[in-house]
């Protein structure tokens, strides 16, 4: 649910550390996933992990292009099995 501006500020705050991967949490709490995909594309940093629940690491899954596409298209079955 975080706005693109806020996501960008977070990435830029850590720019000196050279982030090479993005992980997004609380995916299950929103149906709007465009900002995270836009951020990854703009910053040229791949999304490698998604978290669909409260239990870490159990709720985390490896991100895939297909899964991200399903999320962007609003597929209700986008959560990993």
């Amino acid at each position: 649910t975080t706005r693109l501006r806020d996501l960008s500020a977070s990435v830029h705050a850590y720019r000196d550390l050279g982030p090479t991967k993005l992980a997004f949490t609380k995916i299950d709490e929103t149906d709007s996933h465009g900002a995270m995909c836009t951020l990854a594309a703009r910053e040229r940093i791949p999304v490698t992990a998604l978290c669909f629940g409260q239990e870490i690491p159990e709720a985390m899954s490896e991100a895939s292009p297909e899964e991200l596409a399903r999320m962007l298209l609003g597929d209700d079955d986008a959560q990993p099995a």
Side-chain angles (χ1 to χ4, degrees):
T1 60
T2 306
R3 297 178 308 166
L4 179 58
R5 179 182 307 172
D6 298 328
L7 291 172
S8 293
S10 294
V11 168
H12 289 280
Y14 293 97
R15 176 66 63 201
D16 291 343
L17 297 175
T20 59
K21 299 175 185 176
L22 294 172
F24 290 101
T25 61
K26 300 185 178 185
I27 302 298
D28 56 316
E29 295 181 13
T30 185
D31 60 359
S32 178
H33 304 101
M36 68 179 199
C37 292
T38 299
L39 175 76
R42 273 191 193 167
E43 299 296 330
R44 298 179 184 260
I45 303 174
V47 178
T48 59
L50 300 170
C51 186
F52 291 91
Q54 302 301 315
E55 301 297 321
I56 307 265
E58 296 82 9
M60 292 193 83
S61 68
E62 187 174 335
S64 70
E66 295 82 12
E67 185 172 21
L68 292 170
R70 283 193 304 271
M71 290 168 53
L72 283 172
L73 294 172
D75 184 346
D76 291 338
D77 296 324
Q79 294 187 28

